[in-house]
């Protein structure tokens, strides 16, 4: 019985995969500059200048943990520092950029013109009664003006008693670099 559950789980996951880095690069809407280790380092606006309620800190934090931030920090800034080719430090700064409100590190690697953050997978299996699958893949790069280009692919799927549903989407955003 246990072997059957494992095989069913492998079967379900084989048809349910998240976006690859190459696919996210292809679905990027912005022209990007060549990546070098210092180009991503900088302070960026946490909110977008348009009507879309998107928050850089919350998006990057969702690649780190399942806990969501409910605080509206749109006027604050986010500082990104590439520590080495596999670690990106993310800091949330106050409005005057002199105090760190929160901080975490993301693991990933450099591919092409992007830093690709390791996939975050959350899976709650209890086959055949239910399973929940949530995957996120995020890539970061710079446009020709030094602004941050962020592309995120998400897969959310649920199955309850062999009835399944879910959604998949790719989001492209550009966050302005703050000049100091």
């Amino acid at each position: 019985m246990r072997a059957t559950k494992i095989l069913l789980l492998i079967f379900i996951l084989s048809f349910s995969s998240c976006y690859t880095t190459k696919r996210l690069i292809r679905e990027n809407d912005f022209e990007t500059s060549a990546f070098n280790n210092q180009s991503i380092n900088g302070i960026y606006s946490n909110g977008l200048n348009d009507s879309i309620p998107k928050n850089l800190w919350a998006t990057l934090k969702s690649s780190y943990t399942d806990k969501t931030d409910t605080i509206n920090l749109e006027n604050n800034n986010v500082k990104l520092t590439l520590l080495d080719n596999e670690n990106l430090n993310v800091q949330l700064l106050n409005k005057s950029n002199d105090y760190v409100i929160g901080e975490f590190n993301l693991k990933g690697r450099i591919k092409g013109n992007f830093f690709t953050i390791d996939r975050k997978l959350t899976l709650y299996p209890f086959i055949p009664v239910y399973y929940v699958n949530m995957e996120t893949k995020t890539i970061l790069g710079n446009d020709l003006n030094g602004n941050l280009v962020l592309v995120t692919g998400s897969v959310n799927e649920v199955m309850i008693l062999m009835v399944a549903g879910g959604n998949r989407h790719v989001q492209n955003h550009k966050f302005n670099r703050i000049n100091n």
Side-chain angles (χ1 to χ4, degrees), residues 1-13 127:
M1 182 69 173
R2 182 166 172 82
T4 305
K5 289 181 182 180
I6 291 172
L7 288 174
L8 184 58
L9 181 62
I10 291 171
F11 175 76
I12 289 170
L13 289 178
I127 306 294

Side-chain angles (χ1 to χ4, degrees), residues 4-171:
T4 305
K5 289 181 182 180
I6 291 172
L7 288 174
L8 184 58
L9 181 62
I10 291 171
F11 175 76
I12 289 170
L13 289 178
S14 66
F15 287 107
S16 167
S17 64
C18 191
Y19 295 97
T20 64
T21 299
K22 287 183 181 181
R23 182 169 177 194
L24 289 178
I25 290 171
R26 281 193 310 267
E27 295 199 22
N28 172 31
D29 293 339
F30 303 106
E31 189 173 349
T32 56
S33 63
F35 191 92
N36 75 42
N37 290 358
Q38 298 303 314
S39 65
I40 201 92
N41 294 344
I43 298 175
Y44 300 93
S45 174
N46 192 33
L48 295 174
N49 290 337
D50 55 19
S51 62
I52 300 172
K54 197 64 176 176
N55 183 306
L56 177 59
W57 172 259
T59 303
L60 292 176
K61 191 137 189 196
S62 71
S63 295
Y64 175 72
T65 182
D66 286 333
K67 296 178 183 176
T68 57
D69 281 338
T70 56
I71 304 168
N72 182 6
L73 302 168
E74 189 172 311
N75 294 328
N76 295 39
N77 296 319
V78 175
K79 181 179 181 182
L80 300 179
T81 307
L82 191 62
L83 302 174
D84 55 37
N85 288 343
E86 296 180 349
N87 292 295
L88 180 72
N89 180 264
V90 181
Q91 295 178 333
L92 180 64
L93 305 174
N94 66 346
K95 295 175 187 175
S96 60
N97 298 333
D98 58 0
Y99 176 71
V100 177
I101 297 170
E103 179 177 11
F104 60 91
N105 288 336
L106 292 170
K107 293 209 173 279
R109 68 190 68 68
I110 298 169
K111 286 193 175 180
N113 293 339
F114 292 92
F115 180 81
T116 176
I117 298 169
D118 289 346
R119 175 176 292 135
K120 184 176 78 63
L121 170 66
T122 305
L123 181 67
Y124 302 107
F126 188 63
I127 306 294
V129 179
Y130 72 88
Y131 95 98
V132 177
N133 177 31
M134 296 179 287
E135 295 182 59
T136 304
K137 181 77 170 175
T138 303
I139 60 174
L140 303 168
N142 290 106
D143 69 359
L144 300 176
N145 297 322
N147 297 318
L148 185 72
V149 173
L150 180 125
V151 184
T152 303
S154 295
V155 175
N156 297 309
E157 299 171 328
V158 176
M159 180 187 70
I160 301 174
L161 296 175
M162 303 310 272
V163 176
N167 64 11
R168 296 170 171 263
H169 63 277
V170 174
Q171 295 180 340

